[in-house]
Amino acid sequence: MNLEDYFRRIGFHGSYEKADLATLKLIHKQHVMSVPFENLSIHCGERITMDLEVIFNKIVRSSRGGWCLENNLLFGWVLREMGYNTTTLGSQVFNNDNFGPEETHLINKVIIDGEAYITDVSFGVSFQVWEPLELISGKDQPQAAGIFRLIDKGDFWVLEKTGRKPQVTNPEFAKSSLVNRKETKQIYCFTLEPRKADHFLDSSHKLQTEPTSLFTNKSICSLQTPTGFKALIGWTYSEVTYKPEEDVDILDMRDIPDGDIEQILREQFNMKLQHKLQVANKKACYTI
């Protein structure tokens, strides 16, 4: 594993001699623009591992994406190699009006010049931050997707986002369950307790095997773009354009025939799968 290969993968050509905030912002944004958030391994009969070298080979050398346990574990390694003061944290994702009981989402905390930041390169769709967030309670932090806020609740922190109104171009999808209609939404909560990779082993196993898991029920692939993001959820392909000046997000949604899925993955996500994808879109709570 080496940084040069990783930087080539994300298209970063700048200097990385300084472990400063400007460099962190650059590589964070380059990562989310280059590496998809995806769980397609589950639907290709592949096992997702917490082995860092396996993750490096998958994401960097095989031009794949990954879910948070892969992307953020890799990103944490990159930051440490670059000399950043980095701590791995665990978070509980908000779903069905509650935070999940287990820490299924991995994020990183970075200290620069005495200031703390949260980095997360792998939540995907419209809840993906493009830059690190300052660990300051209640501060509005505007980004492309909307206004993010970290709120100190005493025993834990909450990440929430206030977004814009969705405007769906295709009438067939006007009432799609994939469309997020909540203006302000809690995303996850976390504590500042340091975690190691093996803390997530049980969650990783459950997320990719249990019949109630979102990730076994839906095949998901999303990638940030300079104007928004694109996503393939089951057979539904969406291109989302952020229009902050009009206070709307434009959602262009369409269904893709089975025979065109590989082409979409190749052309829109620069991904070629080694094994046959069994597309899945069973009923489960998920919005883009």
Side-chain angles (χ1 to χ4, degrees):
M1 299 193 302
N2 63 76
L3 287 176
E4 289 74 18
D5 285 353
Y6 168 78
F7 289 137
R8 268 195 296 275
R9 169 73 176 95
I10 67 168
F12 175 71
H13 306 294
S15 166
Y16 55 92
E17 298 304 313
K18 286 185 181 177
D20 58 13
L21 181 58
T23 305
L24 177 61
K25 285 182 174 181
L26 273 173
I27 62 169
H28 191 292
K29 188 172 183 180
Q30 283 297 116
H31 188 112
V32 301
M33 295 282 166
S34 308
V35 182
F37 171 79
E38 53 106 339
N39 71 337
L40 302 185
S41 288
I42 295 170
H43 303 280
C44 291
E46 301 162 1
R47 174 90 181 144
I48 297 176
T49 175
M50 294 293 294
D51 184 312
L52 188 57
E53 201 160 327
V54 172
I55 294 168
F56 186 93
N57 284 333
K58 175 182 175 181
I59 293 175
V60 176
R61 299 205 169 106
S62 299
S63 293
R64 282 285 302 276
W67 62 8
C68 73
L69 300 178
E70 298 169 288
N71 270 310
N72 281 325
L73 191 68
L74 174 65
F75 197 65
W77 171 82
V78 168
L79 297 181
R80 291 182 187 93
E81 287 289 298
M82 293 176 69
Y84 285 99
N85 176 355
T86 307
T87 305
T88 298
L89 306 177
S91 59
Q92 297 157 256
V93 176
F94 191 78
N95 196 11
N96 291 330
D97 299 323
N98 279 302
F99 292 108
E102 296 178 36
E103 292 183 346
T104 57
H105 185 62
L106 186 158
I107 57 177
N108 290 293
K109 183 185 76 172
V110 182
I111 306 288
I112 302 172
D113 297 331
E115 303 294 329
Y117 301 86
I118 295 298
T119 71
D120 183 351
V121 295
S122 196
F123 203 88
V125 294
S126 66
F127 305 108
Q128 178 62 59
V129 293
W130 288 8
E131 293 185 348
L133 295 167
E134 296 177 70
L135 191 61
I136 298 174
S137 183
K139 180 179 179 179
D140 283 0
Q141 304 192 51
Q143 294 197 11
I147 299 169
F148 291 90
R149 259 173 246 100
L150 289 166
I151 301 164
D152 186 355
K153 295 284 191 178
D155 293 337
F156 59 92
W157 288 75
V158 170
L159 172 62
E160 68 174 30
K161 178 202 145 187
T162 299
R164 296 174 287 269
K165 295 179 183 67
Q167 190 172 305
V168 183
T169 59
N170 190 333
E172 288 176 49
F173 291 90
K175 295 184 178 179
S176 169
S177 62
L178 286 172
V179 179
N180 172 50
R181 294 175 177 85
K182 284 187 180 177
E183 187 180 350
T184 297
K185 187 168 179 178
Q186 293 179 308
I187 302 174
Y188 52 73
C189 69
F190 60 94
T191 71
L192 302 181
E193 184 75 28
R195 303 298 188 198
K196 295 194 180 301
D198 58 8
H199 174 76
F200 301 93
L201 286 172
D202 189 46
S203 291
S204 174
H205 174 72
K206 288 178 180 175
L207 289 173
Q208 58 189 304
T209 57
E210 289 190 345
T212 55
S213 165
L214 164 69
F215 296 112
T216 59
N217 281 288
K218 289 187 187 293
S219 48
I220 297 169
C221 184
S222 78
L223 183 65
Q224 305 298 301
T225 69
T227 55
F229 69 91
K230 44 194 170 184
L232 180 66
I233 315 298
W235 291 268
T236 303
Y237 176 69
S238 305
E239 290 188 352
V240 178
T241 305
Y242 297 145
K243 296 275 190 181
E245 67 282 359
E246 298 170 29
D247 197 32
V248 295
D249 293 340
I250 308 296
L251 282 69
D252 182 7
M253 307 172 74
R254 59 190 167 98
D255 281 336
I256 305 297
D258 258 328
D260 294 344
I261 293 287
E262 281 187 22
Q263 183 182 352
I264 285 281
L265 289 172
R266 189 172 59 250
E267 292 179 356
Q268 301 299 332
F269 301 94
N270 195 29
M271 274 174 42
K272 190 174 188 307
L273 302 176
Q274 286 184 302
H275 301 104
K276 177 69 177 168
L277 173 66
Q278 300 295 326
V279 180
N281 193 19
K282 296 175 188 169
K283 194 171 183 182
C285 183
Y286 187 70
T287 61
I288 60 172

